[in-house]
Amino acid sequence: MGNGWRALRRRILTPDVSETSLDKRGFHKKSLAAQELLETVGEKFLLGYAHAVEARSYRQAEEWLERIPVQFRGFAYEGAGMGYAMLDGLPGGGRSHITGFLDGPGDKHNYIIYVGVGWAMARLPRFRWPSPSDFDPLLRWLVLDGYGFHQAYFKTEKYVRQQYQEQGFPWPDKERSAYALRAIDQGIGRALWFICGTDVDLVTDTIAGFAPERHGDLYAGVGLASTYACGVEAEELRKLAEFAGEHRGRLAQGSAFAAEARVRAGLLNPETEIATGAICGLPATRAAAITQEVRPAVVVDGDLPAFETWRQEIADGVLAHGGVEE
């Protein structure tokens, strides 16, 4: 009975894979290879989501997730993050699924799981959102990265073409609502890599249409997505870095974040090396190491959250060690 109920829950709760089709979303199709890559990412994300809502335990979910190829496994863990956060948001289902997963097999995938939580927040009523205190005070802003990605991906007209921003955003608290919009922009930038079909020219043209003060965070998101998902050759990524101009440091920071997420999870692949080499001027392991060398030992938020100070130090460190000039 238990297994039957979990399988039913999976069917009820898991979005249809057609929702990630570029045709369904109306996204740009640069090439068949790019289309296949981006749609496979969506497919594996939803597979990870389905594993989380069906599994009897975190260990069973891990067993299933670890069968997914290295290139796409991180996206499956991101989907699992959404799945567990959705279970936490359902009435009567308990509120500790996501923290339990992070304390167990999800620990080394924490960056990407936080992003998955943001997907769930975009689909849950606000009174069912997780408490900010449930998460690492430094990394919790990645939840809003996931929220921004979801909104841009599924509400592209509003969030990308109309460039909508919700003033007074209430999570983690209204006192930080201005920075919350910046974290959401980082997710919107990450989504642009998918919306624009990995087309560097279209990505940069789209960013140019946003208000200039938003460009840095959008480029940071593009840096993360173009390194984690990749899908282009080094020459195109070097062109992306050139187009980023004064925001090259932000692009490199996102790239270094992506490298750290893959290194920490044991999911490093050749595409990551290509991306960090082109964007950061560094091997992936070195770019990842910089994120940890400048990570604050104690999180103290000032006028800006410690997360933002950390991001700036990563950007400066990568530019300095990579020998790339703004």
Side-chain angles (χ1 to χ4, degrees), residues 239-317:
K239 183 168 71 169
L240 173 64
E242 180 182 350
F243 285 166
E246 63 179 306
H247 304 296
R248 190 166 190 167
R250 293 297 188 181
L251 181 79
Q253 175 267 308
S255 179
F257 254 19
E260 166 59 12
R262 282 201 175 271
V263 168
R264 175 179 168 84
L267 301 178
L268 192 59
N269 61 13
E271 289 78 11
T272 314
E273 294 287 0
I274 290 170
T276 60
I279 295 174
C280 303
L282 293 168
T285 52
R286 182 66 191 118
I290 289 171
T291 71
Q292 301 309 294
E293 290 167 6
V294 300
R295 179 172 177 155
V298 179
V299 178
V300 179
D301 292 332
D303 292 337
L304 288 172
F307 180 74
E308 177 55 29
T309 305
W310 182 37
R311 290 177 65 233
Q312 183 58 61
E313 291 185 357
I314 293 169
D316 293 344

Side-chain angles (χ1 to χ4, degrees), residues 29-97:
K29 290 189 285 187
K30 183 182 74 173
S31 66
L32 287 175
Q35 180 178 0
E36 181 180 0
L37 170 72
L38 298 177
E39 290 181 345
T40 302
V41 166
E43 175 193 337
K44 299 308 181 188
F45 176 97
L46 289 179
L47 181 58
Y49 178 104
H51 286 339
V53 299
E54 184 178 3
R56 294 190 306 273
S57 66
Y58 301 130
R59 292 301 174 190
Q60 183 176 55
E62 179 187 32
E63 179 185 340
W64 292 342
L65 290 163
E66 290 297 312
R67 297 173 186 169
I68 294 170
V70 165
Q71 183 180 3
F72 301 105
R73 194 178 302 159
F75 298 106
Y77 272 92
E78 182 182 353
M82 180 186 178
Y84 282 124
M86 288 294 293
L87 293 180
D88 282 346
L90 294 176
R95 299 283 280 180
S96 61
H97 293 89

Side-chain angles (χ1 to χ4, degrees), residues 27-28 38 148-149 152-153 156 159-161 185-200 202-208 210 218-219 221-222 225:
F27 293 167
H28 177 66
L38 298 177
F149 184 102
Y153 191 92
T156 309
Y159 278 82
V160 176
R161 299 189 180 94
D185 271 354
Q186 292 155 35
I188 293 173
R190 196 162 52 86
L192 291 181
W193 192 246
F194 290 75
I195 293 165
C196 299
T198 78
D199 187 319
V200 167
L202 184 56
V203 167
T204 55
D205 286 347
T206 303
I207 290 177
F210 282 77
L218 294 169
Y219 269 112
V222 171

